[in-house]
Amino acid sequence: MTQSAQSFPGERLGLPRDGSGSIGRLGRRVGALFVDYGAAYLISGFFGWDPLAILAIFAAIQIVFLPTLQGSPGHRLFGLRLARLDGAWVGLWRPVLRTILLIVVIPAVIWDADQRGLHDKAAGTVLVRS
């Protein structure tokens, strides 16, 4: 049997074990999600806390902030940023695709060995520590 397992998430991708540029771990991701969803929930109060308004506001937060600040407000608060594997700008279509898949939920809870959700794999992005 060969030893093909990596010793830490992100090693296959050429990312460091820890510190800046390493894979954003579950605790930070969940914290960021709560911040962004909580903000969307609070803003939706202007629309009577309509569940569709919450999702639309959450999507707007993601789509606006991912390409401009390299992360949503929650990501930035928890020291995360969204990046492409080649280091280039994420562009406009990647955050849209990533957000649509994130709202569907299932792709976001299925991860690979690098702790990248299917929504990140489909968009060609990775959530790293800033």
Side-chain angles (χ1 to χ4, degrees):
M1 181 175 225
T2 62
Q3 182 76 355
S4 64
Q6 58 186 14
S7 61
F8 61 90
E11 181 179 25
R12 278 187 319 169
L13 305 173
L15 301 176
R17 177 184 297 270
D18 49 24
S20 181
S22 65
I23 292 286
R25 301 302 170 105
L26 179 63
R28 290 175 186 260
R29 291 171 181 253
V30 170
L33 181 65
F34 274 108
V35 167
D36 294 338
Y37 195 81
Y41 181 80
L42 290 174
I43 294 168
S44 75
F46 293 108
F47 305 99
W49 288 281
D50 179 14
L52 289 178
I54 297 170
L55 281 179
I57 294 165
F58 177 79
I61 289 170
Q62 299 297 308
I63 292 170
V64 167
F65 288 106
L66 289 178
T68 57
L69 296 180
Q70 294 182 332
S72 68
H75 291 148
R76 302 311 285 170
L77 278 172
F78 280 87
L80 299 171
R81 68 180 171 81
L82 189 70
R84 280 180 42 184
L85 291 175
D86 62 6
W89 180 54
V90 295
L92 298 174
W93 70 268
R94 292 175 199 281
V96 172
L97 174 63
R98 185 182 187 277
T99 300
I100 290 168
L101 293 174
L102 183 61
I103 288 173
V104 173
V105 176
I106 299 300
V109 296
I110 299 174
W111 293 4
D112 66 3
D114 293 309
Q115 295 184 358
R116 287 175 66 205
L118 289 181
H119 64 304
D120 275 325
K121 289 182 70 101
T125 58
V126 62
L127 200 55
V128 295
R129 292 181 60 188
S130 52

